[in-house]
Amino acid sequence: MSDLVIAEGVELELRPARLASRFMAVLLDFLVQSGIFAILLFATVALNSGSGNADSQRAATIVIIVLVAIGYPVLCETISTGRSLGKAAVGLRVVRVDGGPERFRHALARALAGLFADLNLPLLGTVALSGLSGLWVCLVGLPGAIACVSSRRGQRIGDLLAGTLVVRERTEYGRGAPPVPPPPIVAAWASGASVGDVPTGLIVAGRQLVSRVFELDRKAAAELANELARQYSAYVTPPPPAGLPAYQYLVAVTGERFRREAGAAYASVAPIGPAAWGAQPGRKH
């Protein structure tokens, strides 16, 4: 797993995606990209059918390939902050190594490196042009796969260059078991708060703290709860009720985020984390 340092001397773990799940996401995205490519190519051929210019048709095909190969992941991951259609289907998301959301520059760096480094497009072109048509299939994605297996965080070359990693958002219950329900007055506040703006990495860290709080040293848990609450407050509006402890604040935000993402389908899943509210690490928020 990957260590996400939230407070001084305290680390939580992000769950890097396994190679198999990343392969499934890549395969699904490839099918989507193939469909987009076919539609655009058909439209281009239809528009140029009267010109009879083979060179312009080849140029248009190259442009379409580049646009689909780079534009699709950049657009999807920028709009959805880290999820392409394939990643969303298998429960993966790209986040920064500090747990923050992926931005346009990260998505662009990942896409360019994915095409030219992870897939090793120059080498594939050289092998294909040399007449060894069967060999290039064995080389597709090999550099990226080797990098994923070799990296402790499961990062491919594009992730290493962009400063990102792919994490799992789901467990055996889908998006994870629901956290401890907050008191009604706090839940009412959270239902109208902007909890969807909190970066995924911070939400993952908050859920892990909620589930492990009584396994940690009390002082370390309090420091971590305070630090996470401080970082959450930069994204969550309106402010919570006055005097709300940091731990309850985290429980409310992560619980409401889970409710919005998972919906009623997981209402019957047993909550995770401490069942009692007697001990709540952290200062008043």
Side-chain angles (χ1 to χ4, degrees):
M1 291 190 178
S2 175
D3 294 329
L4 173 62
V5 180
I6 301 296
E8 184 177 358
V10 180
E11 295 180 346
L12 285 180
E13 295 175 323
L14 294 175
R15 297 174 299 160
R18 296 188 179 96
L19 186 59
S21 59
R22 294 188 69 168
F23 175 77
M24 286 300 301
V26 169
L27 181 60
L28 292 173
D29 283 329
F30 176 75
L31 294 176
V32 174
Q33 288 173 291
S34 298
I36 297 173
F37 172 77
I39 293 173
L40 294 178
L41 184 62
F42 176 81
T44 302
V45 171
L47 292 174
N48 294 335
S49 58
S51 65
N53 190 330
D55 291 338
S56 64
Q57 183 60 51
R58 282 193 291 269
T61 301
I62 294 174
V63 170
I64 292 173
I65 292 175
V66 173
L67 285 177
V68 173
I70 296 178
Y72 166 81
V74 171
L75 183 64
C76 288
E77 293 180 10
T78 300
I79 293 177
S80 64
T81 59
R83 289 190 296 179
S84 63
L85 296 179
K87 289 184 180 66
V90 298
L92 305 181
R93 184 189 290 270
V94 181
V95 299
R96 299 199 308 262
V97 291
D98 62 358
E102 182 189 26
R103 302 299 187 190
F104 171 78
R105 65 181 183 275
H106 307 108
L108 182 60
R110 293 185 78 252
L112 290 172
L115 192 61
F116 293 101
D118 290 297
L119 290 179
N120 208 352
L121 186 63
L123 177 61
L124 295 181
T126 302
V127 172
L129 292 175
S130 67
L132 302 175
S133 57
L135 181 60
W136 74 272
V137 178
C138 302
L139 299 175
V140 173
L142 185 60
I146 294 175
C148 280
V149 173
S150 304
S151 171
R152 184 174 65 91
R153 295 178 168 185
Q155 294 169 289
R156 63 175 174 86
I157 298 173
D159 289 317
L160 293 170
L161 293 176
T164 58
L165 68 155
V166 181
V167 298
R168 290 177 285 156
E169 289 193 298
R170 299 179 186 173
T171 66
E172 62 270 21
Y173 294 111
R175 288 190 177 272
V180 179
I185 187 171
V186 180
W189 161 77
S191 65
S194 58
V195 299
D197 296 337
V198 181
T200 300
L202 291 179
I203 290 293
V204 170
R207 287 173 178 168
Q208 290 183 355
L209 175 61
V210 168
S211 66
R212 295 174 50 198
V213 64
F214 293 132
E215 301 174 13
L216 303 174
D217 174 77
R218 186 174 181 83
K219 181 180 179 181
E223 291 176 355
L224 182 54
N226 290 332
E227 177 61 17
L228 280 171
R230 183 189 67 79
Q231 295 190 39
Y232 277 33
S233 65
Y235 301 95
V236 179
T237 54
L244 183 68
Y247 174 73
Q248 290 193 18
Y249 177 71
L250 299 180
V251 168
V253 173
T254 57
E256 178 61 23
R257 176 72 164 258
F258 177 91
R259 187 190 69 79
R260 296 182 189 181
E261 293 181 347
Y266 298 93
S268 61
V269 179
I272 61 173
W277 285 80
Q280 294 154 358
R283 58 176 172 76
K284 302 290 185 180
H285 183 74

